[in-house]
Amino acid sequence: MENEVKLTKLAQCAGCGAKVGAGTLAQLLEGLKVHRDPNLLVGFDKSDDASVYKVSDDLALVQTVDFFPPIADDPYLFGQIAATNALSDVYAMGGEPRLALNLMCVPEDMPREAVHAMLRGGYDKVYEAGCLITGGHSIFDKEPKYGLSVTGFVHPDHILTNSGAQPGDVLLLTKPLGIGVLTTANKAELASPEAMERAYGLMTTLNKAARDAMVRYRVHACTDVTGFGLMGHLLEMTQGSDVEAHLSVGDIDLIPEALELAKMGLLPEGMYRNRTFAEPWVEVGDTPLHCQDLLFDPQTAGGLLMAVHPGDAQALYRELEGAVPSAQRIGRVEEYRGGKRIFLE
């Protein structure tokens, strides 16, 4: 029954490609009054992955919420992907997920078995993370949507944000790029079964192993690469840290079939939003256009992007090898000289 419902046919956008663009989001939040609380260590005004609230000298709560329309036709697989994506924000802050609440929208005529499969996919992935689902909220909607509100724990002195990168840091990434292009092509039945099998495997791989490794090293900043693409999330890191980043494009793992599809012009709408937001800050150099496209490509349940002390970078890189889908040493952080923030080399 799970495979009889083609969920992606019920939605206009897929996964994190449905995310409001970073530039539009900044305009929507502009002018909202931010209330101050000394225990609120990270709030929405920081453009970070989650909020962090200090409870005691030894404990802080990490809170996030994430949901989106189907990115896979199989309800169980979609539930897994949505849960993996939501849990990732807690890992990016250096935290450990502990409690989760379901967020679900379903059409009134969606088969009960499909709804059950979607929830079961989320439950299974949450429990794999060592987290508990304790309830949630559901409404009827023409388009199905699923995700989680997640609460995690972290020590107040060991929070990782996207604004702590320092000159000299090495940039590490833990998953390849091209998910948005592949899922867009798949809706048109132009992606190969082998490429989609890999894509689904990446989107259901928790960032737990990456988080567990990085907290043992001097990681100055971290974010997960999702809807804003590598360029959008790296731009937020460089702006928040007041630094610039230099990327070695040849060292970035770009999924080969996604590159070929990008050459054909099969690009998600979110890629154009990300380019509009980040491109004015990027010096693209001689990077081919189809490679640029994948750097702006919106990822769903993407990897962690870390800015690591140069003295720890090689040891962390070696530990990530074999523990994450694709350990990559993609660039470096330098002092900001004004003008562009990201340089492709």
Side-chain angles (χ1 to χ4, degrees):
M1 183 65 195
E2 294 176 20
N3 294 318
E4 293 180 9
V5 178
K6 299 294 185 182
L7 292 184
T8 58
K9 305 299 183 184
L10 302 178
Q12 294 183 347
C13 299
C16 285
K19 196 170 183 177
V20 175
T24 302
L25 183 60
Q27 294 175 1
L28 294 174
L29 295 175
E30 187 177 1
L32 289 180
K33 184 176 180 180
V34 178
H35 291 271
R36 303 297 176 183
D37 184 323
N39 291 317
L40 182 62
L41 305 181
V42 181
F44 77 84
D45 56 317
K46 300 295 186 182
S47 298
D48 227 308
D49 297 299
S51 65
V52 183
Y53 190 87
K54 182 178 178 181
V55 177
S56 69
D57 290 341
D58 300 317
L59 177 66
L61 297 181
V62 184
Q63 291 192 307
T64 185
V65 60
D66 212 314
F67 69 106
F68 48 59
I71 196 167
D73 285 323
D74 182 271
Y76 178 76
L77 179 58
F78 169 48
Q80 286 187 304
I81 294 170
T84 301
N85 189 74
L87 292 162
S88 183
D89 286 340
V90 175
Y91 291 133
M93 305 296 291
E96 298 179 272
R98 284 292 178 258
L99 300 172
L101 298 171
N102 282 317
L103 295 170
M104 184 176 68
C105 305
V106 292
E108 291 190 61
D109 59 353
M110 187 169 174
R112 182 185 64 82
E113 294 85 354
V115 177
H116 183 269
M118 186 170 66
L119 290 171
R120 183 163 52 85
Y123 271 71
D124 285 352
K125 194 53 63 172
V126 166
Y127 294 150
E128 180 185 333
C131 187
L132 296 172
I133 291 182
T134 58
H137 186 66
S138 59
I139 64 170
F140 288 124
D141 192 1
K142 293 180 180 179
E143 290 188 356
K145 302 174 185 70
Y146 178 65
L148 300 170
S149 172
V150 186
T151 298
F153 296 164
V154 69
H155 193 287
D157 296 335
H158 300 150
I159 301 166
L160 292 174
T161 71
N162 66 1
S163 58
Q166 300 177 15
D169 282 350
V170 174
L171 295 171
L172 302 181
L173 184 62
T174 66
K175 289 186 182 182
L177 303 178
I179 294 296
V181 170
L182 287 177
T183 54
T184 297
N186 191 52
K187 290 189 73 170
E189 300 182 350
L190 293 173
S192 71
E194 294 79 13
M196 291 314 301
E197 182 178 357
R198 185 185 183 195
Y200 293 141
L202 290 170
M203 288 188 285
T204 55
T205 298
L206 295 173
N207 282 323
K208 184 179 188 301
R211 177 266 173 199
D212 291 348
M214 75 176 179
V215 295
R216 295 193 289 269
Y217 296 90
R218 288 174 289 179
V219 175
H220 295 141
C222 182
T223 186
D224 60 339
V225 178
T226 54
F228 298 157
L230 176 62
M231 291 296 92
H233 289 286
L234 181 56
L235 176 59
E236 289 187 334
M237 181 181 286
T238 59
Q239 290 176 326
S241 307
D242 195 23
V243 295
E244 64 184 45
H246 293 252
L247 299 184
S248 176
V249 177
D251 293 330
I252 301 175
D253 188 359
L254 305 176
I255 299 173
E257 185 165 326
L259 278 173
E260 293 304 312
L261 291 165
K263 284 183 182 179
M264 297 167 57
L266 283 163
L267 302 169
E269 184 179 345
M271 190 284 299
Y272 295 102
R273 291 195 296 266
N274 292 341
R275 186 184 287 276
T276 298
F277 166 65
E279 190 174 44
W281 297 94
V282 180
E283 176 54 62
V284 299
D286 297 326
T287 304
L289 181 60
H290 63 287
C291 293
Q292 294 178 39
D293 289 337
L294 262 62
L295 301 182
F296 290 100
D297 185 42
Q299 306 302 288
T300 298
L304 296 187
L305 173 65
M306 312 168 189
V308 189
H309 188 286
D312 284 0
Q314 187 60 21
L316 176 54
Y317 174 76
R318 287 175 178 168
E319 186 166 341
L320 290 172
E321 285 185 305
V324 301
S326 178
Q328 307 156 60
R329 184 168 178 156
I330 66 170
R332 66 193 185 279
V333 177
E334 294 188 2
E335 290 186 10
Y336 183 49
R337 298 167 294 175
K340 305 287 186 177
R341 289 279 186 181
I342 301 172
F343 298 82
L344 306 184
E345 301 172 348

